[in-house]
PDB file of all heavy atoms in Angstrom:
ATOM      1  N   GLY A  56     261.537-158.093 157.911  1.00 70.00           N
ATOM      2  CA  GLY A  56     260.566-159.127 158.245  1.00 70.00           C
ATOM      3  C   GLY A  56     259.686-158.794 159.438  1.00 70.00           C
ATOM      4  O   GLY A  56     259.019-159.660 159.987  1.00 70.00           O
ATOM      5  N   VAL A  57     259.675-157.519 159.857  1.00 63.00           N
ATOM      6  CA  VAL A  57     258.868-157.095 160.995  1.00 63.00           C
ATOM      7  C   VAL A  57     257.454-156.765 160.516  1.00 63.00           C
ATOM      8  O   VAL A  57     257.274-156.009 159.569  1.00 63.00           O
ATOM      9  CB  VAL A  57     259.496-155.860 161.690  1.00 63.00           C
ATOM     10  CG1 VAL A  57     258.631-155.394 162.838  1.00 63.00           C
ATOM     11  CG2 VAL A  57     260.901-156.177 162.145  1.00 63.00           C
ATOM     12  N   GLU A  58     256.466-157.358 161.201  1.00 66.00           N
ATOM     13  CA  GLU A  58     255.070-157.100 160.842  1.00 66.00           C
ATOM     14  C   GLU A  58     254.557-155.883 161.599  1.00 66.00           C
ATOM     15  O   GLU A  58     254.843-155.708 162.779  1.00 66.00           O
ATOM     16  CB  GLU A  58     254.199-158.308 161.182  1.00 66.00           C
ATOM     17  CG  GLU A  58     254.392-159.481 160.266  1.00 66.00           C
ATOM     18  CD  GLU A  58     253.406-160.603 160.546  1.00 66.00           C
ATOM     19  OE1 GLU A  58     252.390-160.370 161.214  1.00 66.00           O
ATOM     20  OE2 GLU A  58     253.654-161.721 160.083  1.00 66.00           O
ATOM     21  N   SER A  59     253.802-155.051 160.910  1.00 62.00           N
ATOM     22  CA  SER A  59     253.166-153.903 161.551  1.00 62.00           C
ATOM     23  C   SER A  59     251.868-153.591 160.821  1.00 62.00           C
ATOM     24  O   SER A  59     251.621-154.104 159.738  1.00 62.00           O
ATOM     25  CB  SER A  59     254.093-152.683 161.537  1.00 62.00           C
ATOM     26  OG  SER A  59     254.374-152.310 160.210  1.00 62.00           O
ATOM     27  N   ILE A  60     251.069-152.744 161.439  1.00 67.00           N
ATOM     28  CA  ILE A  60     249.811-152.336 160.810  1.00 67.00           C
ATOM     29  C   ILE A  60     250.115-151.152 159.902  1.00 67.00           C
ATOM     30  O   ILE A  60     250.878-150.262 160.262  1.00 67.00           O
ATOM     31  CB  ILE A  60     248.770-151.971 161.884  1.00 67.00           C
ATOM     32  CG1 ILE A  60     248.410-153.226 162.674  1.00 67.00           C
ATOM     33  CG2 ILE A  60     247.521-151.375 161.259  1.00 67.00           C
ATOM     34  CD1 ILE A  60     247.505-152.988 163.841  1.00 67.00           C
ATOM     35  N   ARG A  61     249.520-151.131 158.720  1.00 71.00           N
ATOM     36  CA  ARG A  61     249.799-150.095 157.727  1.00 71.00           C
ATOM     37  C   ARG A  61     249.491-148.708 158.262  1.00 71.00           C
ATOM     38  O   ARG A  61     250.307-147.818 158.210  1.00 71.00           O
ATOM     39  CB  ARG A  61     248.981-150.355 156.461  1.00 71.00           C
ATOM     40  CG  ARG A  61     249.214-149.328 155.373  1.00 71.00           C
ATOM     41  CD  ARG A  61     248.307-149.523 154.179  1.00 71.00           C
ATOM     42  NE  ARG A  61     248.321-150.861 153.649  1.00 71.00           N
ATOM     43  CZ  ARG A  61     249.195-151.326 152.759  1.00 71.00           C
ATOM     44  NH1 ARG A  61     250.151-150.560 152.344  1.00 71.00           N
ATOM     45  NH2 ARG A  61     249.111-152.544 152.311  1.00 71.00           N
ATOM     46  N   GLY A  62     248.308-148.454 158.785  1.00 82.00           N
ATOM     47  CA  GLY A  62     247.940-147.150 159.330  1.00 82.00           C
ATOM     48  C   GLY A  62     247.204-146.280 158.327  1.00 82.00           C
ATOM     49  O   GLY A  62     246.992-146.650 157.173  1.00 82.00           O
ATOM     50  N   CYS A  63     246.838-145.108 158.772  1.00 85.00           N
ATOM     51  CA  CYS A  63     246.113-144.139 157.952  1.00 85.00           C
ATOM     52  C   CYS A  63     246.946-143.792 156.716  1.00 85.00           C
ATOM     53  O   CYS A  63     248.141-143.536 156.821  1.00 85.00           O
ATOM     54  CB  CYS A  63     245.825-142.877 158.772  1.00 85.00           C
ATOM     55  SG  CYS A  63     245.057-141.539 157.833  1.00 85.00           S
ATOM     56  N   PHE A  64     246.330-143.759 155.559  1.00 83.00           N
ATOM     57  CA  PHE A  64     247.039-143.476 154.317  1.00 83.00           C
ATOM     58  C   PHE A  64     247.479-142.013 154.248  1.00 83.00           C
ATOM     59  O   PHE A  64     248.301-141.655 153.434  1.00 83.00           O
ATOM     60  CB  PHE A  64     246.149-143.792 153.114  1.00 83.00           C
ATOM     61  CG  PHE A  64     246.074-145.258 152.778  1.00 83.00           C
ATOM     62  CD1 PHE A  64     246.177-146.230 153.764  1.00 83.00           C
ATOM     63  CD2 PHE A  64     245.888-145.669 151.484  1.00 83.00           C
ATOM     64  CE1 PHE A  64     246.098-147.575 153.462  1.00 83.00           C
ATOM     65  CE2 PHE A  64     245.807-147.016 151.167  1.00 83.00           C
ATOM     66  CZ  PHE A  64     245.918-147.976 152.153  1.00 83.00           C
ATOM     67  N   ASN A  65     246.940-141.150 155.115  1.00 85.00           N
ATOM     68  CA  ASN A  65     247.302-139.732 155.091  1.00 85.00           C
ATOM     69  C   ASN A  65     248.298-139.387 156.194  1.00 85.00           C
ATOM     70  O   ASN A  65     249.389-138.922 155.934  1.00 85.00           O
ATOM     71  CB  ASN A  65     246.050-138.861 155.209  1.00 85.00           C
ATOM     72  CG  ASN A  65     246.353-137.396 155.046  1.00 85.00           C
ATOM     73  OD1 ASN A  65     247.003-136.994 154.095  1.00 85.00           O
ATOM     74  ND2 ASN A  65     245.899-136.597 155.979  1.00 85.00           N
ATOM     75  N   CYS A  66     247.927-139.624 157.454  1.00 83.00           N
ATOM     76  CA  CYS A  66     248.785-139.196 158.575  1.00 83.00           C
ATOM     77  C   CYS A  66     249.581-140.341 159.197  1.00 83.00           C
ATOM     78  O   CYS A  66     250.363-140.130 160.105  1.00 83.00           O
ATOM     79  CB  CYS A  66     247.943-138.500 159.647  1.00 83.00           C
ATOM     80  SG  CYS A  66     246.830-139.609 160.516  1.00 83.00           S
ATOM     81  N   GLU A  67     249.342-141.564 158.738  1.00 80.00           N
ATOM     82  CA  GLU A  67     250.058-142.761 159.172  1.00 80.00           C
ATOM     83  C   GLU A  67     249.797-143.189 160.616  1.00 80.00           C
ATOM     84  O   GLU A  67     250.558-143.956 161.191  1.00 80.00           O
ATOM     85  CB  GLU A  67     251.561-142.602 158.911  1.00 80.00           C
ATOM     86  CG  GLU A  67     251.869-142.393 157.445  1.00 80.00           C
ATOM     87  CD  GLU A  67     253.335-142.150 157.155  1.00 80.00           C
ATOM     88  OE1 GLU A  67     254.149-142.188 158.106  1.00 80.00           O
ATOM     89  OE2 GLU A  67     253.659-141.928 155.990  1.00 80.00           O
TER      90      GLU A  67
END
Side-chain angles (χ1 to χ4, degrees):
V57 178
E58 287 186 17
S59 62
I60 294 174
R61 180 185 308 274
C63 175
F64 281 31
N65 186 51
C66 69
E67 300 177 2

